[in-house]
Amino acid sequence: MIFFGRKRSSKTMSPLYALVLLLLVASCNFKKQNRLSKASSPYLQQHADNPVDWYEWGDEALAIAKKENKPLLISIGYASCHWCHQMEKESFMDTAVARMMNNNFVCIKVDREERPDIDNIYMNACQLISGNSGWPLNAFALPDGKPFFAGTYYSKPGWISLLTQISQAYKNQPQKVLLQAQSLSHGIAQQEFSVLSDSSNITVDKKMYGQLFVNIYQKMDTAFGGWKGLQKFPDASAIEFLLQYYFFTKDRKALDAANLTLTKMALGGIYDQVGGGFARYATDSLWHIPHFEKMLYDNAQLMSVYAHAYQLTGNEFYKKIVQETITFIQRDLSDGRGAYYCSLNADTDNEEGSFYSWTMPDLRATIPDQFKLVSSYYNVSDKGNFKPGQNILYAERIPAEFAAQENVNPGVVNNQLEEAKIIMLAKRNKRQKPAVDNKVLTSWNALLITGFLDAYAALGDKAYLEYALAGAHFIEDKMQDNSGKLWRNWKDDKRSVDAFLDDYALLATAYLRLYQLTFDKHWLLQSKTLVTYALQNLYDPASGMFYYAHDHSDTNLIRKIQTADNSIPASNSAMAAVLYKLGIYFDNSDYQKKSKEMVSKMSDQLLSNETRYFTSWCSLAGLFAYGTNEVAIMGSDVLIKNIALQKNYLPASMFMGSATEENLPMLEGKATNGKTLIYVCTNGTCKRPEESISLALLQLQKINNPN
């Protein structure tokens, strides 16, 4: 054994040399941590060992950039993003590339889920420059944050070339860079305002509502469901609109389009056939091969959609999807205290999808008794349907149709599939599991609370109501103060980011839905508290819309108004819908007026060729076009009759009630002695009260479908 050129016996080692050796080994294994080691975001913490001198977004980074006259390099991604990790591995972990970045830029890492306000600005810049969008998002900005260039993923050679070009342009052509930044910033600031109609008094009628359906339907894939295109994203808002449109009009095309999409998604590889839950999107037009990250917001919204479809159709296949999706969320995303984590990563062992795929030999060894049926049903082959030899499970038909085609007893098919899933899940759980992004976000948890409640209404499982209540109490206790102010995030018992409009609007929606099913007025008042706070702090009287972020936000360089749907409903449409409904509950004409003005302001966009990006607004337009009704229930059996009524799909009904208290305008004068009565009302005028649930449903049917 040689130490510093001196030969020593292997039998002896002085304490000094042993200490030197220990320090050398320790230094080899030590990885220097940058500032992101203390970040609240798991995604940012994943970059703590990068040689890049990363900052979080904030005053410190902007002050350094101004002092040193360096441009900002803002890299935005999220924990379950495959290409974000790929770019980190190729470029951000490379010391030579990191040196270029550190020497020429002030480098900022952003979690787009924790800071969607920042992401929105630089994503808009990217779209204005190239028409493209996606993550990772890499933007370059002046020291004050105004962007002058943005793109998405770059290979290592492309990234090095871009860094060189940007650095030289900033140093040698500062005036051109400044003009570009000013032009881009103006375009971003005006983007939302430019789509708003000049009129706030446009009548949203049945004719307009019908045109919205025409615009949406012509963009849909009538062979495989979803939107036309080479990739398929689950668009819950669009399916909700189709279900609502069928409810109001009985146009079979709307229901057929919804059923086709829901069935193809649930049979496809985008749905985890073994463990339940949906992936972010499918990379093909058939829903077969997913991009494997599993997001809380997708699964929360799809729980609601499948629950509503089950109410409307009675299709047991939809019920099963709801149950399996909830099982997945409880198993893989719950923190055990009522809150739920953001996502599961797409990658394991640096390979996308390996956790979910199967080879023929592996499948045969795992389920020998069910192998023949399962491999046939799920299109598994030696060749592989995903990568060579690797298979993703997807089906072409629901089990009953498969059984009929193969001339097999349906019970045998169902039993073997269910037996196989249990065994395969146990085997799969022995593999390296995808990493969990274990931060908690208010708006995403709000969507989940609503999903649990919709599942409870449709399926009647009281556990789902308990999940919703636990989630609401968690947010109320940990992420909200008495004034109605919310925080966006929660991790390690800390909250660090002010909430945004989607947090207020979607949580107000969840609280309102919780009232509708429990008749606990506390939740209705909480919903109103959030709306009051948003009106005081986020409302813009000039546009009639709400800003996305507070006026003290550190992104005030461009204060944005969000009107288009993305992976979740547009924050302004969600707030407009809450205002509409609270206006009814509290007989508040100002709320109703504001909601109507917001929809009117969006009329040009709704009737444009881009209706598909505003489907949540289209559903609200349906309520204005066809009207809503109030269902007031009073008496000792109020909750029993309430849940019995709400097992039905009734999107135009506002439910309210109490055993004894006339604690809302629509409940006044309706207290009873002994009886539990159901009042079906329209615009405050009520029909004859009924004790019978079936007779009350008949009244609702005549109101909503008079023909």
Side-chain angles (χ1 to χ4, degrees):
M1 190 175 293
I2 304 296
F3 293 91
F4 304 109
R6 294 179 62 189
K7 186 174 182 179
R8 295 184 59 87
S9 168
S10 61
K11 295 181 181 179
T12 62
M13 183 183 297
S14 75
L16 175 61
Y17 282 110
L19 178 60
V20 170
L21 178 61
L22 181 63
L23 291 173
L24 284 171
V25 172
S27 65
C28 290
N29 291 331
F30 176 73
K31 290 185 178 180
K32 184 180 179 181
Q33 299 281 293
N34 60 40
R35 295 176 189 84
L36 300 187
S37 63
K38 298 180 180 179
S40 60
S41 160
Y43 171 66
L44 268 57
Q45 290 176 356
Q46 290 170 3
H47 292 76
D49 62 347
N50 293 174
V52 178
D53 187 22
W54 292 116
Y55 288 81
E56 292 190 68
W57 178 273
D59 293 337
E60 181 185 7
L62 274 63
I64 292 291
K66 184 177 181 180
K67 179 181 177 181
E68 298 181 0
N69 191 26
K70 286 183 178 180
L72 301 174
L73 189 165
I74 304 152
S75 181
I76 304 174
Y78 56 103
S80 60
C81 168
H82 169 74
W83 289 105
C84 300
H85 298 303
Q86 186 69 19
M87 190 165 179
E88 179 196 14
K89 183 170 62 175
E90 292 176 358
S91 296
F92 302 154
M93 288 298 293
D94 186 289
T95 54
V97 177
R99 191 177 303 114
M100 288 185 67
M101 294 169 65
N102 295 336
N103 289 343
N104 296 285
F105 305 92
V106 172
C107 303
I108 299 175
K109 208 70 179 86
V110 176
D111 182 340
R112 65 123 178 159
E113 298 168 353
E114 197 172 73
R115 294 303 303 262
D117 55 332
I118 299 169
D119 178 58
N120 286 342
I121 291 170
Y122 296 109
M123 185 60 74
N124 284 165
C126 187
Q127 291 167 336
L128 287 172
I129 290 169
S130 65
N132 296 322
S133 62
W135 297 274
L137 173 63
N138 292 287
F140 297 86
L142 302 178
D144 64 1
K146 291 185 174 66
F148 59 84
F149 185 80
T152 53
Y153 166 81
Y154 293 91
S155 65
K156 180 178 172 180
W159 183 240
I160 291 173
S161 175
L162 180 65
L163 292 175
T164 302
Q165 293 176 53
I166 294 290
S167 177
Q168 289 177 351
Y170 187 81
K171 293 172 182 175
N172 302 327
Q173 299 176 301
Q175 198 59 34
K176 285 187 177 180
V177 172
L178 177 61
L179 289 173
Q180 172 76 352
Q182 291 173 340
S183 176
L184 261 182
S185 297
H186 179 75
I188 294 168
Q190 295 303 310
Q191 213 168 30
E192 277 86 358
F193 291 99
S194 65
V195 305
L196 300 179
S197 170
D198 292 335
S199 174
S200 60
N201 294 304
I202 294 174
T203 300
V204 181
D205 56 16
K206 294 178 181 179
K207 181 180 179 181
M208 176 181 171
Y209 184 62
Q211 186 59 50
L212 300 181
F213 172 70
V214 171
N215 292 358
I216 288 170
Y217 188 77
Q218 66 185 5
K219 299 284 187 179
M220 302 206 73
D221 182 344
T222 55
F224 298 102
W227 302 115
K228 295 175 182 176
L230 298 178
Q231 296 180 334
K232 291 290 177 70
F233 287 79
D235 191 335
S237 293
I239 304 170
E240 291 282 17
F241 170 75
L242 293 173
L243 296 176
Q244 185 207 65
Y245 190 83
Y246 174 74
F247 174 83
F248 281 131
T249 69
K250 292 299 179 284
D251 187 331
R252 188 73 196 188
K253 286 195 301 183
L255 182 59
D256 289 346
N259 279 329
L260 176 66
T261 302
L262 292 169
T263 302
K264 290 293 185 182
M265 282 199 306
L267 292 174
I270 192 175
Y271 184 71
D272 183 352
Q273 302 295 336
V274 171
F278 291 86
R280 173 78 278 262
Y281 66 92
T283 60
D284 61 290
S285 62
L286 307 179
W287 305 101
H288 284 175
I289 307 302
H291 193 47
F292 292 89
E293 68 261 42
K294 295 169 82 172
M295 312 300 296
L296 181 64
Y297 58 73
D298 283 323
N299 287 282
Q301 292 176 91
L302 290 169
M303 280 165 51
S304 290
V305 172
Y306 278 91
H308 292 154
Y310 173 65
Q311 289 175 311
L312 191 58
T313 66
N315 187 335
E316 291 291 321
F317 183 59
Y318 296 161
K319 176 181 178 180
K320 177 170 166 288
I321 298 302
V322 174
Q323 293 169 327
E324 290 180 349
T325 300
I326 293 176
T327 298
F328 149 67
I329 289 173
Q330 290 296 125
R331 181 186 66 236
D332 292 340
L333 295 178
S334 173
D335 83 333
R337 297 182 296 173
Y340 294 83
Y341 301 139
C342 285
S343 64
L344 293 181
N345 205 327
D347 297 357
T348 51
D349 294 321
N350 295 317
E351 183 179 1
E352 186 182 10
S354 61
F355 180 74
Y356 300 98
S357 63
W358 298 84
T359 65
M360 283 282 272
D362 190 19
L363 195 64
R364 185 181 288 108
T366 302
I367 49 168
D369 296 337
Q370 301 88 5
F371 170 75
K372 183 177 179 181
L373 185 144
V374 169
S375 60
S376 175
Y377 183 73
Y378 287 122
N379 294 284
V380 178
S381 68
D382 286 310
K383 181 180 179 182
N385 60 31
F386 168 47
K387 294 178 180 178
Q390 297 286 331
N391 295 273
I392 296 301
L393 306 184
Y394 61 80
E396 307 294 347
R397 298 168 294 280
I398 64 173
E401 293 172 352
F402 175 84
Q405 184 167 342
E406 300 295 323
N407 196 26
V408 181
N409 185 293
V412 172
V413 172
N414 281 318
N415 289 340
Q416 288 203 22
L417 289 177
E418 293 307 310
E419 290 168 0
K421 285 182 181 181
I422 295 170
I423 300 169
M424 292 167 70
L425 182 62
K427 175 68 177 294
R428 196 176 76 177
N429 282 338
K430 296 178 181 179
R431 301 173 180 173
Q432 181 191 8
K433 295 182 179 179
V436 179
D437 182 342
N438 63 344
K439 67 178 181 290
V440 175
L441 296 182
T442 297
S443 59
W444 297 13
N445 275 256
L447 287 169
L448 184 62
I449 292 168
T450 301
F452 284 142
L453 293 168
D454 290 337
Y456 167 62
L459 278 61
D461 190 329
K462 290 186 178 179
Y464 302 162
L465 174 61
E466 293 304 316
Y467 297 156
L469 284 165
H473 284 302
F474 181 93
I475 293 178
E476 189 179 36
D477 293 343
K478 306 294 187 183
M479 304 173 78
Q480 179 180 342
D481 70 14
N482 292 333
S483 72
K485 173 183 168 60
L486 294 171
W487 280 264
R488 170 78 174 177
N489 63 331
W490 179 269
K491 185 179 181 295
D492 299 331
D493 293 329
K494 296 178 183 177
R495 55 199 188 187
S496 58
V497 179
D498 285 347
F500 304 107
L501 182 61
D502 55 345
D503 298 302
Y504 288 95
L506 294 173
L507 184 58
T509 302
Y511 284 161
L512 178 55
R513 188 76 180 106
L514 194 50
Y515 167 76
Q516 290 173 325
L517 285 164
T518 65
F519 291 156
D520 182 347
K521 194 178 178 183
H522 168 77
W523 300 113
L524 187 63
L525 294 175
Q526 281 286 51
S527 182
K528 186 179 182 183
T529 295
L530 295 180
V531 169
T532 300
Y533 183 92
L535 284 167
Q536 292 170 348
N537 293 277
L538 297 169
Y539 185 65
D540 174 39
S543 67
M545 294 285 182
F546 290 79
Y547 286 113
Y548 187 69
H550 287 80
D551 59 5
H552 60 263
S553 167
D554 51 14
T555 52
N556 280 340
L557 59 126
I558 305 172
R559 200 175 184 204
K560 291 177 61 60
I561 287 176
Q562 185 193 61
T563 57
D565 295 333
N566 201 306
S567 52
I568 64 176
S571 53
N572 267 288
S573 72
M575 186 57 79
V578 171
L579 285 168
Y580 176 90
K581 294 171 183 177
L582 288 180
I584 293 172
Y585 280 101
F586 291 103
D587 193 22
N588 188 316
S589 59
D590 182 58
Y591 284 3
Q592 295 177 14
K593 179 183 176 183
K594 281 184 169 63
S595 179
K596 181 180 183 298
E597 288 176 349
M598 292 172 77
V599 177
S600 296
K601 289 276 189 178
M602 292 300 299
S603 58
D604 289 346
Q605 285 301 306
L606 297 187
L607 294 170
S608 72
N609 195 41
E610 303 296 335
T611 310
R612 60 171 288 187
Y613 298 110
F614 303 94
T615 51
S616 63
W617 289 101
C618 295
S619 293
L620 180 55
L623 300 185
F624 278 105
Y626 279 82
T628 52
N629 45 72
E630 306 87 42
V631 180
I633 312 172
M634 291 290 293
S636 57
D637 293 332
V638 61
L639 293 179
I640 295 173
K641 294 196 175 184
N642 181 41
I643 191 60
L645 282 168
Q646 291 200 56
K647 283 186 177 180
N648 300 276
Y649 180 65
L650 299 168
S653 296
M654 307 291 113
F655 289 88
M656 60 200 75
S658 174
T660 57
E661 293 184 82
E662 299 175 348
N663 54 13
L664 287 172
M666 279 300 302
L667 298 180
E668 292 178 2
K670 294 182 173 63
T672 61
N673 292 319
K675 296 181 179 180
T676 299
L677 297 178
I678 305 166
Y679 295 81
V680 174
C681 315
T682 304
N683 296 324
T685 301
C686 301
K687 294 184 176 296
R688 180 171 63 87
E690 298 286 358
E691 287 189 83
S692 164
I693 292 169
S694 59
L695 290 177
L697 285 171
L698 185 61
Q699 289 181 345
L700 287 168
Q701 182 181 352
K702 290 180 178 179
I703 292 172
N704 294 314
N705 303 108
N707 298 324

